[in-house]
Structures are given as C-alpha cells and as structure tokens.
Amino acid sequence: MDAKNRFETKTTFALSRLEWLGFLTVSLVLAVQHHDEIRWGVFVLLFAVIDVVGYLPGAIAYRRSPDGRVPRGCYVAYNTMHSLVTAGLIAGAWALFVRPEWALLALPVHLMGDRALFGNSLKPFGVAFEPETVPAFRAFEQRYRSVADSEEGAAPRTSVEDTDAVRA
C-alpha cells in the first residue's frame, strides 16, 4: 500500500495484521506480568468503552436499517473510539488526572485485538458498517490478480505521477 494505491493485497494485509499481533502480544505480556497491579474494573471499563461508544450504536443502527445504511455519525464515533490517537489521549489524560496505571493496557489490547484478530481498522463512509465486500472492490481484486499473475507481473506506469517518490 502506498499514497497512490490505498489498498492491500491479502499478503500485505496479513503482514499488517502480523505487526498488530506483535503489539497485541507485548500488551498482553505486560498485562500478565502486572496482573496483580491492574485494577480490573478500570481495565474492563476502558476496554468496553471503545465499543459501547464507538461500535454498538452503529451496529444497532445497521441491523435496524432496511438497507444497511447508518448515519455518518456512527462511522465518526467508531473511527474516533478505534483510533490510536484517541487511545493515546485517553491514556494521557487518565495518567495526568487519575494516575498512570497498568489498567490502561486495556486500550492497546482492545485496538490491537481488533486489528490483529479480526482485521478491523477504521471504517470509510462508503462501505457498509459491518464488513462485506463491495462488488467494485471484488472486481478490482480480480483485475489486479490477473495483472499480477500475467507474464509482465505488473501494469506499465503511464504517467510521471505514478513514478516512485524516492529515486536512487
């Protein structure tokens, strides 16, 4: 994936998920190592608030909608609560105004779990709130695979805009 081609192949997506799994593993190891120091009520609250605010309203709206459409605000709520930036702000504010504590590991455990285990990241407005393959993307993937599998291996570059940003 790059700035001009914002998609991932199955392989690059799997590699991204493997990276997130590494971060999830670190977070879980720290939680296990410090399990006696974690205020578990706070951990559960921080873990749950991400989905209570960011996922459940959109999931309910999606299931209640006859055509699967949900208000844009549901996407905004999801993306806000599932953002690493938001998690960092919550953790920073909590450490500043409450105290630094191991229960804050709930934030990376939740977000890394979503990304590594379920493959979920931020949601674009133009796709269904619940994961389903857009027909145009399925067709694109098929065309991409046929080009990648061809003898040439890739489509020829057709403009200066398509050239690499960094040159040797």
Side-chain angles (χ1 to χ4, degrees), residues 22-37:
F23 286 111
L24 174 61
T25 302
V26 168
S27 299
L28 289 172
V29 166
L30 287 169
V32 168
Q33 289 177 335
H34 297 279
H35 72 279
D36 290 339
E37 301 169 66

Side-chain angles (χ1 to χ4, degrees), residues 7-26:
F7 69 95
E8 294 181 286
T9 64
K10 287 183 180 185
T11 301
T12 57
F13 186 62
L15 292 172
S16 292
R17 289 179 72 180
L18 190 58
E19 287 184 350
W20 295 120
L21 183 61
F23 286 111
L24 174 61
T25 302
V26 168

Side-chain angles (χ1 to χ4, degrees), residues 10-77:
K10 287 183 180 185
T11 301
T12 57
F13 186 62
L15 292 172
S16 292
R17 289 179 72 180
L18 190 58
E19 287 184 350
W20 295 120
L21 183 61
F23 286 111
L24 174 61
T25 302
V26 168
S27 299
L28 289 172
V29 166
L30 287 169
V32 168
Q33 289 177 335
H34 297 279
H35 72 279
D36 290 339
E37 301 169 66
I38 293 175
R39 291 194 301 157
W40 288 101
V42 173
F43 185 99
V44 169
L45 173 75
L46 291 169
F47 188 93
V49 74
I50 294 170
D51 280 343
V52 168
V53 173
Y55 172 69
L56 289 179
I60 292 168
Y62 179 81
R63 284 166 180 75
R64 288 185 175 174
S65 171
D67 61 0
R69 293 178 190 227
V70 301
R72 290 174 75 89
C74 293
Y75 287 86
V76 172

Side-chain angles (χ1 to χ4, degrees), residues 52-131:
V52 168
V53 173
Y55 172 69
L56 289 179
I60 292 168
Y62 179 81
R63 284 166 180 75
R64 288 185 175 174
S65 171
D67 61 0
R69 293 178 190 227
V70 301
R72 290 174 75 89
C74 293
Y75 287 86
V76 172
Y78 182 93
N79 290 340
T80 299
M81 294 307 295
H82 287 82
S83 165
L84 295 171
V85 173
T86 302
L89 291 172
I90 291 170
W94 190 278
L96 184 64
F97 297 113
V98 180
R99 71 180 198 209
E101 61 180 301
W102 291 108
L104 292 168
L105 285 169
L107 300 169
V109 166
H110 184 124
L111 298 178
M112 298 306 112
D114 277 356
R115 286 164 170 74
L117 303 177
F118 304 114
N120 294 332
S121 189
L122 304 180
K123 295 184 181 294
F125 292 129
V127 300
F129 191 81
E130 293 291 357

